[in-house]
């Protein structure tokens, strides 16, 4: 992820939030003072079969003392995955 220009002081303090069905399901720790953070982590979010048509929303935030700023987000659809299938791919985060 390239967050150049988001926070003009010392860099971006970025973290990722995963939202599903309107609820926050996972949050990474913030990576401090960088414009190219990397999160090498994983999580498991149970997705009920009846809810597979709902997208997973991936949000990237800049953590600030006063007010966190949304950098951008991406939407991931599960409907194309087979049950129990694991898939890794890149998604574009847009503002």
């Amino acid at each position: 992820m390239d967050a150049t220009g988001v926070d003009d002081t010392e860099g971006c303090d970025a973290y990722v939030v995963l939202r599903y069905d309107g609820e926050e399901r996972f949050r990474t720790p913030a990576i401090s003072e960088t414009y190219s953070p990397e999160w090498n982590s994983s999580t498991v979010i149970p997705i009920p079969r009846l809810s597979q048509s709902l997208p997973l929303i991936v949000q990237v935030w800049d953590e600030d003392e006063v007010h966190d700023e949304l950098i951008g987000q991406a939407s991931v659809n599960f409907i194309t995955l087979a049950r129990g299938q694991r898939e890794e791919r890149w998604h574009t985060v847009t503002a």
Side-chain angles (χ1 to χ4, degrees):
M1 189 200 86
D2 182 10
T4 306
V6 173
D7 192 337
D8 293 333
T9 56
E10 298 171 347
C12 180
D13 301 322
Y15 64 93
V16 172
V17 172
L18 301 181
R19 295 186 184 279
Y20 186 75
D21 197 14
E23 295 181 26
E24 182 176 312
R25 302 293 179 102
F26 180 74
R27 180 185 294 224
T28 67
I31 306 291
S32 298
E33 300 177 6
T34 182
Y35 291 120
S36 299
E38 291 184 27
W39 299 272
N40 295 310
S41 62
S42 62
T43 188
V44 174
I45 300 173
I47 307 294
R49 189 163 178 77
L50 296 175
S51 299
Q52 289 181 355
S53 62
L54 298 174
L56 175 71
I57 306 300
V58 180
Q59 297 178 319
V60 181
W61 292 83
D62 179 15
E63 184 177 72
D64 289 318
E65 290 181 22
V66 177
H67 179 70
D68 292 359
E69 178 183 354
L70 179 64
I71 296 170
Q73 64 182 22
S75 179
V76 179
N77 291 315
F78 296 104
I79 200 76
T80 59
L81 294 177
R83 185 178 176 124
Q85 178 183 352
R86 179 182 172 156
E87 183 176 307
E88 294 183 23
R89 60 182 143 156
W90 289 88
H91 293 276
T92 302
V93 174
T94 57

